[in-house]
Amino acid sequence: MSDNSTQFSFGAATGVGSMPGGDAREAARTVTGSFEDFPFLAELPARGPGADMIGRTAGMLVELYARVEPSGWRLGDRPGRDTRRARSWLGEDLDALEEFTQGYEGPLKVQAVGPWTLAAALELRNGEAALSDAGACRDLAASLAEGLRQHLAEVSRRFPGAQVVLQLDEPSLVAVLLGQVRSASGYRTHRAVDRQIVEAALHDVVGVHGEGPVVVHSCAPDVPFALLRRAGAAAISFDFSLLTERDDDAIGEAVEGGTRLFAGVVPGTDGPLSDPAGSVMGVRTLWRRLGLSPGLLAEAVTVTPSCGLAGASPEYARQALAHCARAARSLADNPE
């Protein structure tokens, strides 16, 4: 699927997913005003359970349902209040975005949690993570794939001119691969999942988008670039500040293989913002170090915040999105 990224026109800048506050129309107005050529469907976790990343995706599952327990989200037998609330908020967010994107033609990004972060976060009836049970992981990935297929069909129906980009959020992926996800007691960790099993499940979920591009987002260190590319990711989204020179070869191979980089260069929480050119200085430096052509920069990089903006003030979130757009322009205008 990574060859799709060469035919597909991504926007130069976009957001990661979450925004502060609880007003869907205000979030949609901010997003579409900031990114005229690559808006995204905002998530507003401040509204409470079901608007959070895990709850929203749990609400998309087919024939699996989750409810909120004091310890977190737990799988159960039937849809309850929490599932209905998650679906209702998703509908409200889609309505708001639709209102502000009438006639829009271009890339449009929607986000959902990927199969491994979901398996690490959702509890089975015994209180342990679904990650502890290989069969539960398979069922969860299959349910997610079917739910995403339905969600993407609805998004395509609501935004007929848009080219839909699916982002899978996998902040726990590295912990799953390294056996660092803690058990319910907190005294031990679940064993590492075999890389081929991780890749196969991701490949199946990525495949639900057919010809459309899929971005995988991970804001943890040591993003497994090669594994994600083999799983079919057309683009990889990451916190740029966490890269080390150990990642150089994998990034060089990704760029040369046509994989797009969503470089998270703008901090996700309130703080002073440098000038836009300063924000992408590290990207230019990386390019020089890898010996890549500066002319490739605009083709290969989308500028984003380093992670979601749920923890930011509304004012900072607006500034951060606008700053991403200006930083992307700086990269395109002056790739050297």
Side-chain angles (χ1 to χ4, degrees):
M1 186 158 304
S2 41
D3 22 325
N4 288 342
S5 62
T6 52
Q7 304 147 19
F8 184 91
S9 177
F10 289 94
T14 191
V16 171
S18 66
M19 292 285 286
D23 184 333
R25 289 186 74 252
E26 182 55 35
R29 182 188 287 115
T30 300
V31 163
T32 53
S34 305
F35 302 122
E36 290 173 10
D37 63 354
F38 199 0
F40 65 97
L41 180 67
E43 300 163 356
L44 302 172
R47 291 182 297 199
D52 61 300
M53 187 169 84
I54 299 297
R56 169 174 287 212
T57 302
M60 295 179 191
L61 297 174
V62 171
E63 293 179 4
L64 284 179
Y65 309 101
R67 62 178 187 274
V68 179
E69 297 284 340
S71 53
W73 286 91
R74 182 168 296 184
L75 291 165
D77 296 328
R78 61 184 73 85
R81 186 183 58 207
D82 298 321
T83 300
R84 287 193 295 273
R85 191 190 294 130
R87 290 176 178 172
S88 167
W89 272 329
L90 178 58
E92 192 180 299
D93 294 337
L94 285 165
D95 290 345
L97 187 60
E98 208 176 339
E99 181 186 337
F100 289 97
T101 53
Q102 293 297 312
Y104 173 73
E105 294 182 356
L108 169 74
K109 183 165 71 69
V110 296
Q111 305 82 221
V113 175
W116 295 105
T117 295
L118 208 55
L122 289 180
E123 298 173 357
L124 301 172
R125 285 192 192 86
N126 64 5
E128 282 298 350
L131 189 63
S132 64
D133 180 321
C137 289
R138 282 194 296 274
D139 292 347
L140 196 53
S143 171
L144 174 64
E146 188 51 43
L148 284 174
R149 203 172 271 120
Q150 294 177 13
H151 176 53
L152 290 165
E154 183 184 358
V155 172
S156 297
R157 195 169 58 247
R158 282 175 176 258
F159 305 93
Q163 299 158 303
V164 181
V165 178
L166 171 63
Q167 175 178 305
L168 294 174
D169 289 316
E170 282 283 14
S172 301
L173 180 64
V174 174
V176 167
L177 288 167
L178 297 179
Q180 294 172 342
V181 177
R182 293 211 161 276
S183 65
S185 68
Y187 292 127
R188 58 182 186 83
T189 54
H190 296 291
R191 68 163 60 111
V193 181
D194 181 272
R195 294 179 84 85
Q196 286 175 305
I197 291 173
V198 168
E199 186 183 318
L202 274 168
H203 191 272
D204 289 348
V205 175
V206 166
V208 303
H209 199 18
E211 291 305 299
V214 176
V215 186
V216 180
H217 170 71
S218 175
C219 47
D222 300 317
V223 174
F225 287 92
L227 183 153
L228 295 177
R229 292 178 60 225
R230 288 194 304 272
I236 299 170
S237 168
F238 53 93
D239 179 344
F240 192 85
S241 71
L242 298 178
L243 289 185
T244 69
E245 293 196 12
R246 282 202 315 273
D247 298 306
D248 280 7
D249 288 349
I251 288 177
E253 284 166 19
V255 172
E256 287 172 348
T259 304
R260 193 167 183 94
L261 305 179
F262 280 44
V265 296
V266 176
T269 49
D270 293 41
L273 290 168
S274 70
D275 67 300
S279 292
V280 286
M281 181 102 63
V283 180
R284 291 195 186 93
T285 304
L286 172 68
W287 234 244
R288 280 197 295 274
R289 196 165 74 227
L290 295 178
L292 294 166
S293 155
L296 267 179
L297 266 171
E299 283 173 40
V301 175
T302 292
V303 175
T304 71
S306 57
C307 213
L309 293 167
S313 65
E315 179 56 30
Y316 177 82
R318 280 192 293 276
Q319 288 174 4
L321 296 187
H323 193 84
C324 286
R326 284 197 295 271
R329 272 200 300 279
S330 155
L331 209 51
D333 294 346
N334 182 16
E336 304 285 351

